[in-house]
Amino acid sequence: MKHYLYFSIKFILVGIIQNQSIKGLVYSYIGVVVGFITTGYLMPRFLLPDEVGLLRVLVSYAVLLAQFSGLGFSIVAVKMFPYFRDQATRHHGFFGLFSLISLIGFLLVMTIFGIYSYFFMADDFSQSPLLKNYFYWIIPLTFFVLLYNIADAYYRALFDAIKGTILKDVVQRILILITLILFILQFYTLGNLILYYSLAFAIPPFIMFYHLVRDRQIGWIPDFKFLNKELRKNVWNVALFGLLSSFSGILVLNIDVLMVERFMGLTQAGLYTITFFFGTLIMIPARPLTRISSIVIAEAFMKDDISEVDSIYKKSSINLTSIAILVFLGLAINMENIMTMIGEDYRAGYAVIILIGLSNVIEMSTGVINQIIFNSKFYRYSSYFILFFAILIIISNIVFIPIYGIMGAALATLIAKSVYIFVKLGFVKLKLGLNPYSIKSILVLVIGLFTYYTQSFISPIDNYIVDIFIRSSFATIIFSILVFLFKISPDINKWLKTSINSLINSQK
């Protein structure tokens, strides 16, 4: 009976991964379209580069400070929530404990931030005077991002990774788009843009809190009696290492633009922001999969089901590699069209798109490796690895930005990320005996190179929109046919068959 219940749970969880990954992917790409209109089209055309840089720098600071304010409890919510899960007791007041710790962390971080900005930001303000006028908007932005982190982590612990995706990737981006359009139409000044831009970050978490209260999922009062000595020790250990790893991870995602701003000012940070955005499009498909898979992998490790972990690892690797190469192809074959679209002022970021894109393809090829390391008994090493990565990328930026400018920041990311990934792959192979790659990983790369070569025979078309459509469509068809014929991924083949059958049936 015990085994029957376990395999029933496993079946349900695998179904959750597939269902929420597909739904999450759809919503993520809706968000990509909205984000593309905002960041890829409107911002470079209607905002000055230093205004773009200002928005990105404010958010980067807020995301960093919010992550530190959580004191590692977002990771606790993912890794330790199975021990608290009990609907009858509202999960032993876990949400109340989470919120209390985060509030304490926020007050502590804001105190340190105030002292730091008073004594150490004078030089930064002299180089970027626009930042001085709006610098303290970082405080409410940090609070709003922290609220979202709390609600999103709690929802993921409840096996719902979709709500956070919809509200952040779609609703929040639509609000930002509306805010930007009204600014472009001169309904208000830059100061009001910052205000409404900040409010766009506030609405998603408040919607999530409303639904949690409505669905009676929140226990406001922590059940300290349930927190016995051993559980408290485990929680604080996970929180400590979770704080280190999550903060270092967020640092890695934001340090480049902050260092570009520190070395070169807001204008160059704005140029980097726009071109960096195109390189990050490759990572979109990974988000819904990694958000829900972490919970499922944690459950699998708790049941000591390594075969299930291995299956998720291999499938996630080949699926994400295939998608990443296809998206990278879309960027590589349309580089001149992208430059035409965003303007010649951004040509300095040409190499940024390629280098960041390439680094993200390498990262996508590892699948859910981060979730595997963190949810295994070796979870402490994830903190060491990400700290190593953070140090490596900071040093790389210090070396390369003064030499190559914004291209140096992208080059630093590529080098640091490649070393970091190589170390993680070796560790998982050594400690768990797991390897995500196979001959099909090489084959899909060859398919990508062949597809790039074949589209090069298409003559350029003056209208860049038409050119993008023709090149992208041709590359997608060639790549998809070859992936299907060589049976690169059973999941992709199944999806393609279903899509084709639905299309045929709709025509009858």
Side-chain angles (χ1 to χ4, degrees):
M1 183 64 178
K2 178 180 178 182
H3 292 289
Y4 171 77
L5 289 174
Y6 166 57
F7 284 109
S8 296
I9 292 172
K10 186 174 82 170
F11 177 79
I12 293 171
L13 292 177
V14 171
I16 289 172
I17 289 183
Q18 294 175 342
N19 186 40
Q20 296 205 19
S21 293
I22 293 171
K23 287 183 179 179
L25 188 59
V26 171
Y27 288 120
S28 291
Y29 272 109
I30 293 173
V32 167
V33 172
V34 178
F36 179 83
I37 295 170
T38 303
T39 307
Y41 186 78
L42 293 180
M43 281 188 175
R45 285 175 173 266
F46 296 101
L47 295 186
L48 297 174
D50 61 341
E51 293 172 338
V52 175
L54 173 66
L55 293 175
R56 174 64 194 275
V57 167
L58 291 178
V59 172
S60 292
Y61 272 115
V63 170
L64 278 172
L65 296 174
Q67 198 67 41
F68 199 70
S69 298
L71 299 179
F73 257 70
S74 292
I75 305 299
V76 172
V78 173
K79 186 172 179 62
M80 298 296 297
F81 191 78
Y83 297 94
F84 289 83
R85 195 185 306 279
D86 181 12
Q87 183 63 48
T89 63
R90 306 281 178 85
H91 311 296
H92 298 283
F94 182 86
F95 186 87
L97 179 65
F98 192 176
S99 301
L100 176 63
I101 296 298
S102 297
L103 177 60
I104 294 172
F106 176 75
L107 295 175
L108 176 63
V109 168
M110 287 299 101
T111 301
I112 298 173
F113 171 70
I115 296 172
Y116 166 80
S117 60
Y118 181 81
F119 287 103
F120 297 103
M121 291 300 294
D123 292 340
D124 205 41
F125 292 152
S126 63
Q127 188 169 354
S128 304
L130 190 62
L131 181 61
K132 181 179 180 179
N133 297 332
Y134 301 101
F135 187 72
Y136 287 99
W137 274 102
I138 292 172
I139 296 174
L141 264 174
T142 300
F143 183 70
F144 299 147
V145 174
L146 176 61
L147 290 181
Y148 173 82
N149 290 346
I150 294 171
D152 182 56
Y154 193 66
Y155 261 111
R156 282 187 288 144
L158 296 173
F159 298 126
D160 185 354
I162 299 300
K163 195 175 296 294
T165 298
I166 295 172
L167 289 170
K168 183 177 182 181
D169 289 353
V170 181
V171 174
Q172 180 177 294
R173 290 183 179 183
I174 290 175
L175 292 173
I176 290 174
L177 175 59
I178 293 171
T179 297
L180 181 60
I181 291 174
L182 293 175
F183 174 73
I184 292 171
L185 295 175
Q186 300 183 345
F187 276 79
Y188 41 69
T189 63
L190 180 62
N192 294 118
L193 172 64
I194 302 299
L195 169 62
Y196 298 133
Y197 188 83
S198 301
L199 290 177
F201 284 79
I203 292 174
F206 282 108
I207 293 175
M208 296 171 81
F209 279 114
Y210 166 76
H211 282 285
L212 285 170
V213 172
R214 186 198 64 183
D215 298 337
R216 303 178 64 84
Q217 291 289 346
I218 290 180
W220 290 108
I221 302 176
D223 185 358
F224 291 107
K225 292 182 180 180
F226 177 76
L227 285 166
N228 57 50
K229 184 177 181 180
E230 181 179 358
L231 185 56
R232 285 200 306 270
K233 179 181 178 182
N234 290 334
V235 166
W236 290 119
N237 281 338
V238 171
L240 176 63
F241 285 94
L243 174 62
L244 179 62
S245 62
S246 60
F247 179 73
S248 299
I250 294 297
L251 180 68
V252 163
L253 294 174
N254 293 274
I255 192 62
D256 49 1
V257 71
L258 294 179
M259 293 186 73
V260 167
E261 187 275 325
R262 294 285 291 188
F263 278 107
M264 307 180 71
L266 277 180
T267 297
Q268 291 299 313
L271 297 178
Y272 185 76
T273 294
I274 297 300
T275 49
F276 180 88
F277 166 78
F278 285 93
T280 59
L281 293 176
I282 293 168
M283 294 296 294
I284 301 300
R287 294 176 185 172
L289 177 63
T290 55
R291 285 161 68 86
I292 188 60
S293 65
S294 188
I295 293 293
V296 181
I297 290 170
E299 297 276 351
F301 271 119
M302 192 171 67
K303 303 294 185 181
D304 199 28
D305 188 356
I306 298 299
S307 63
E308 179 63 19
V309 176
D310 184 47
S311 176
I312 295 173
Y313 191 25
K314 285 182 167 57
K315 287 181 179 180
S316 66
S317 174
I318 193 61
N319 290 342
L320 293 179
T321 299
S322 301
I323 298 172
I325 290 176
L326 178 59
V327 178
F328 184 73
L329 272 173
L331 294 174
I333 65 180
N334 286 296
M335 285 302 299
E336 285 303 319
N337 291 324
I338 292 173
M339 291 298 111
T340 300
M341 180 173 58
I342 64 179
E344 286 299 314
D345 290 343
Y346 290 87
R347 185 166 286 277
Y350 189 105
V352 172
I353 298 175
I354 297 298
L355 293 173
I356 294 298
L358 185 58
S359 71
N360 287 331
V361 171
I362 295 172
E363 183 174 357
M364 286 272 280
S365 74
T366 64
V368 293
I369 191 171
N370 292 329
Q371 288 69 32
I372 289 173
I373 295 174
F374 187 78
N375 288 290
S376 72
K377 63 181 178 181
F378 305 106
Y379 68 89
R380 289 182 175 86
Y381 285 88
S382 63
S383 301
Y384 306 147
F385 291 146
I386 198 69
L387 180 61
F388 165 71
F389 185 24
I391 294 172
L392 189 60
I393 202 167
I394 289 172
I395 294 173
S396 300
N397 273 292
I398 291 173
V399 171
F400 291 115
I401 290 177
I403 301 174
Y404 300 112
I406 60 176
M407 187 185 79
L411 181 61
T413 297
L414 175 61
I415 294 173
K417 186 173 287 189
S418 298
V419 174
Y420 166 64
I421 287 171
F422 179 79
V423 171
K424 287 193 300 180
L425 288 168
F427 179 82
V428 171
K429 176 63 177 177
L430 180 65
K431 295 295 185 180
L432 298 172
L434 304 179
N435 173 34
Y437 302 125
S438 66
I439 189 64
K440 290 183 178 180
S441 303
I442 299 175
L443 185 56
V444 73
L445 178 60
V446 173
I447 291 173
L449 292 172
F450 176 78
T451 304
Y452 181 83
Y453 174 74
T454 56
Q455 69 78 39
S456 64
F457 292 100
I458 300 175
S459 299
I461 299 173
D462 291 338
N463 188 311
Y464 74 89
I465 296 177
V466 175
D467 195 68
I468 288 175
F469 177 77
I470 292 176
R471 289 182 186 279
S472 301
S473 299
F474 179 82
T476 300
I477 292 170
I478 296 298
F479 185 84
S480 299
I481 289 174
L482 292 175
V483 165
F484 182 83
L485 292 177
F486 284 97
K487 299 179 180 179
I488 297 298
S489 165
D491 292 333
I492 293 177
N493 274 27
K494 181 180 178 181
W495 179 81
L496 287 172
K497 288 179 181 178
T498 302
S499 299
I500 293 171
N501 289 334
S502 297
L503 183 62
I504 292 173
N505 291 332
S506 67
Q507 301 299 319
K508 291 181 179 180

